[in-house]
Amino acid sequence: MNDGGQRRYGPLGRTLVIIPTYNEAENIKPIVSRVRAAVPDAHILVADDNSPDGTGKLADELAAEDDHVHVLHRKGKEGLGAAYLAGFRWGIEHDYGVLVEMDADGSHQPEELPRLLTALKGADLVLGSRWVPGGRVVNWPKSREFLSRGGSTYSRLLLDVPIRDVTGGFRAFRKETLEGLGLDEVASQGYCFQVDLARRAVAAGYHVVEVPITFVERELGDSKMSRDIVVEALWRVTAWGVGSRAGRLLGRKPSDERP
């Protein structure tokens, strides 16, 4: 991974915070309000997957009252990865210099976003990390923490990526970083989507920085975590790791391996 020490980074440009939603009617107004208060200059894109509970309509109401809020209505529930990819493309098309991933449920605290943006001034990608010194989780059962820590450790070791919180979803990208990751080739979802982008960033030589965050378990609404998401992450990470090692044994250079 590039240490970024010799690179001069340009200005960040405008910031777009992408918030994917599916049945987040109880959370959408509070999270948008908190983001607007924490980073007043930032714009927000709510990427709603046609939520049956009316989240999209509530987001439209917020957008009608605030020109910093935008809504991307999607046809249906297609997964976290697809929602973020659509949001990234929308943000790049509208010339935002920074694109941020953030959950709608408050688990990613908007008040910590300025720390990520400050770190991005000297990086290509900044990850809000639960598993670096100073990071922590609040109101998680031990079983959930074990699953998350274990998933990150397994991914880090198998894929050889020097990132402590590989599965975390609170991230700030420079536009140029996303443009260099081969987003058209990304098909993964959930945990696996986050691992995929992280490994692509490392493989491309981007300077990735982790800053500690406090992750707070949602208080309202239902978690989107499922057994299928965990299973997908396990088999995809295993396949990537095995494929990478096989490529090296066959004498293929890392630069020849498609991220």
Side-chain angles (χ1 to χ4, degrees):
M1 183 165 53
N2 189 331
D3 65 6
Q6 303 301 317
R7 178 175 169 185
R8 293 184 178 180
Y9 290 91
L12 295 177
R14 295 187 303 156
T15 296
L16 179 69
V17 180
I18 303 168
I19 304 177
T21 56
Y22 184 77
N23 287 349
E24 296 287 358
E26 297 172 296
N27 292 311
I28 190 59
K29 288 187 175 181
I31 197 66
V32 167
S33 177
R34 289 173 64 188
V35 173
R36 293 290 286 117
V39 190
D41 291 336
H43 284 224
I44 298 167
L45 176 67
V46 178
D48 185 65
D49 278 6
N50 197 21
S51 299
D53 72 348
T55 301
K57 182 176 183 296
L58 293 174
D60 283 336
E61 293 172 0
L62 293 171
E65 299 170 357
D66 187 344
D67 63 4
H68 278 53
V69 180
H70 314 275
V71 185
L72 179 62
H73 291 281
R74 293 164 43 73
K75 293 181 180 179
K77 188 177 181 183
E78 298 178 355
L80 183 69
Y84 272 131
L85 289 173
F88 291 155
R89 294 188 181 102
W90 189 96
I92 291 171
E93 288 172 1
H94 289 79
D95 201 29
Y96 288 91
V98 176
L99 297 100
V100 176
E101 295 183 8
M102 178 182 288
D103 286 351
D105 60 14
S107 55
H108 299 148
Q109 300 187 84
E111 295 76 17
E112 296 185 317
L113 179 54
R115 190 186 314 153
L116 274 68
L117 296 178
T118 296
L120 193 62
K121 293 178 180 179
D124 298 296
L125 164 61
V126 174
L127 312 180
S129 180
R130 298 160 291 185
W131 313 131
V132 296
R136 66 191 185 106
V137 297
V138 176
N139 296 332
W140 260 16
K142 285 297 181 182
S143 58
R144 180 78 183 275
E145 182 174 343
F146 176 80
L147 178 64
S148 181
R149 282 185 179 273
S152 278
T153 300
Y154 182 75
S155 300
R156 182 175 72 252
L157 295 176
L158 195 62
L159 301 176
D160 194 26
V161 290
I163 298 172
R164 304 296 300 181
D165 194 350
V166 189
T167 63
F170 192 11
R171 302 179 170 192
F173 296 83
R174 285 180 178 264
K175 177 181 72 172
E176 297 81 6
T177 304
L178 285 171
E179 291 175 328
L181 294 185
L183 296 181
D184 289 342
E185 301 171 8
V186 176
S188 48
Q189 302 295 327
Y191 266 11
C192 200
F193 174 78
Q194 306 299 3
V195 176
D196 198 357
L197 294 193
R199 77 183 184 96
R200 287 169 181 265
V202 171
Y206 288 121
H207 180 38
V208 182
V209 172
E210 291 184 90
V211 298
I213 62 166
T214 297
F215 183 99
V216 181
E217 177 66 354
R218 70 161 63 230
E219 294 182 356
L220 300 172
D222 297 322
S223 172
K224 308 306 185 292
M225 180 59 64
S226 69
R227 181 178 179 274
D228 288 344
I229 289 174
V230 174
V231 170
E232 185 212 11
L234 180 61
W235 80 257
R236 281 193 184 269
V237 169
T238 302
W240 290 330
V242 171
S244 177
R245 282 164 169 73
R248 288 197 291 270
L249 288 173
L250 293 172
R252 194 166 57 200
K253 298 178 181 179
S255 58
D256 296 330
E257 296 175 12
R258 299 177 71 181

